[in-house]
Amino acid sequence: MKRSERLVAMTNYLMDHPQQLVSLPYFSTTYAAAKSSVSEDLSIINDMFQHEGIGYLQSVSGAAGGVRYIPVYSKENSAAFIDELCSKLADSDRLLPGGYLFMSDILGEPATVNKIGRLFATAFHDREIDVVVTVATKGIPIAYAAAAYLNVPVVIVRRDPKVTEGSTVSVNYVSGSSRKIQTMVLSKRSIPDQANVCIVDDFMKAGGTINGMKSLLQEFNANVTAIGVLAEAEDEEEERVVEDYTSLIKIQNVDVRNQRVEVQKGNYFN
């Protein structure tokens, strides 16, 4: 195999296996190359990852060492993408009753959802995360995108129990949007005891739904290490019940009567 071919193959493998430790002997055996050549190839790949702002290779020394691809997006790439999102969502035609924005089309674009997941993975790349948790339904594509870059499984909290999930744990919570008592359930087999959890959702007002998920996860002795929301909106009538979170965009100055809305960057860069 030519070196150029080996570089392409190794780059593709690393990007398909983010956060996964890969030993040098694996590359050496797979591509029939000397370890010194593999080390040089990895150095070239690492330089290009950083040049393009799409991550870096982390080296782990020792007998069980190797390299792992950390898919962190550069600040420049992240800012450009968030600006693009703000521009798309600032259209007054997207404004819905209750101060919501129509985002279903954006959440249906694989390339856009993929970048949203990459940004959350970038924000949380240095935290201990065993599983990404979201609530059905619109947060599901974002959760899968983030989990793909974090290389962890996804668990979906549901509103109603499903017979296919076996025994479940349920909690009641107060929805921040409707201010009604609602229920969410999770299968007892979904999360291992004392798992480190990243909560991901598409939209947050007062944070009642996310707070409900936190209460539910307490039943599993889970540790919530990160919370990511695509869009946050201020609710003047209710106090926010979630404080430690990361948002990509922030919806402000919503005027449903006059069809005006202001969309800004969230606290992602804070």
Side-chain angles (χ1 to χ4, degrees):
M1 181 179 288
K2 297 179 181 179
R3 185 176 200 178
S4 58
E5 297 171 337
R6 190 170 66 244
L7 281 168
V8 172
M10 290 172 62
T11 301
N12 181 67
Y13 184 90
L14 289 165
M15 296 188 74
D16 279 348
H17 300 80
Q19 303 283 356
Q20 180 176 313
L21 186 64
V22 186
S23 67
L24 265 63
Y26 171 82
F27 284 133
S28 181
T29 301
T30 302
Y31 303 116
K35 290 183 180 180
S36 58
S37 297
V38 169
S39 296
E40 292 175 2
D41 294 344
L42 291 172
S43 179
I44 293 172
I45 293 171
N46 183 42
D47 289 343
M48 286 308 300
F49 279 166
Q50 295 188 54
H51 180 268
E52 293 297 314
I54 59 173
Y56 62 92
L57 295 184
Q58 181 185 72
S59 298
V60 179
S61 59
V67 296
R68 60 165 58 94
Y69 170 48
I70 309 298
V72 295
Y73 228 25
S74 68
K75 185 175 182 179
E76 293 74 19
N77 287 342
S78 301
F81 174 68
I82 293 177
D83 283 339
E84 181 183 346
L85 270 182
C86 291
S87 178
K88 286 183 178 180
L89 293 173
D91 186 353
S92 60
D93 289 340
R94 291 183 174 274
L95 196 56
L96 300 172
Y100 294 97
L101 287 185
F102 178 75
M103 298 191 296
S104 296
D105 58 334
I106 289 177
L107 295 177
E109 297 173 355
T112 300
V113 172
N114 182 63
K115 288 183 179 179
I116 293 172
R118 183 190 283 269
L119 260 64
F120 283 135
T122 297
F124 307 141
H125 77 277
D126 57 349
R127 305 191 192 186
E128 291 291 331
I129 295 175
D130 301 314
V131 61
V132 172
V133 174
T134 190
V135 63
T137 59
K138 289 186 178 179
I140 293 176
I142 300 175
Y144 272 100
Y149 284 107
L150 293 169
N151 195 23
V152 297
V154 174
V155 170
I156 301 172
V157 175
R158 304 195 180 276
R159 309 289 185 180
D160 302 301
K162 303 291 183 181
V163 66
T164 54
E165 295 189 346
S167 58
T168 59
V169 176
S170 66
V171 296
N172 295 324
Y173 71 100
V174 180
S175 172
S177 56
S178 64
R179 298 177 180 82
K180 295 180 180 179
I181 301 295
Q182 298 189 7
T183 303
M184 57 175 60
V185 300
L186 188 60
S187 170
K188 288 184 177 180
R189 304 184 186 186
S190 296
I191 299 178
D193 189 54
Q194 298 183 349
N196 295 314
V197 173
C198 170
I199 294 177
V200 171
D201 207 359
D202 65 312
F203 191 87
M204 180 180 74
K205 263 195 172 183
T209 300
I210 290 178
N211 203 41
M213 280 192 278
K214 291 175 66 176
S215 297
L216 180 58
L217 291 169
Q218 287 178 357
E219 300 297 322
F220 293 82
N221 298 316
N223 178 33
V224 178
T225 60
I227 299 173
V229 294
L230 169 58
E232 63 166 313
E234 294 291 346
D235 191 339
E236 298 179 354
E237 299 180 2
E238 188 161 345
E239 182 180 357
R240 178 152 291 165
V241 296
V242 177
E243 296 181 355
D244 187 12
Y245 64 92
T246 298
S247 65
L248 301 192
I249 62 175
K250 186 173 185 178
I251 302 169
Q252 289 185 312
N253 302 325
V254 177
D255 187 344
V256 178
R257 176 177 297 179
N258 296 308
Q259 288 294 291
R260 288 199 301 265
V261 61
E262 182 181 346
V263 181
Q264 299 179 346
K265 289 186 178 74
N267 64 6
Y268 185 83
F269 296 108
N270 291 359

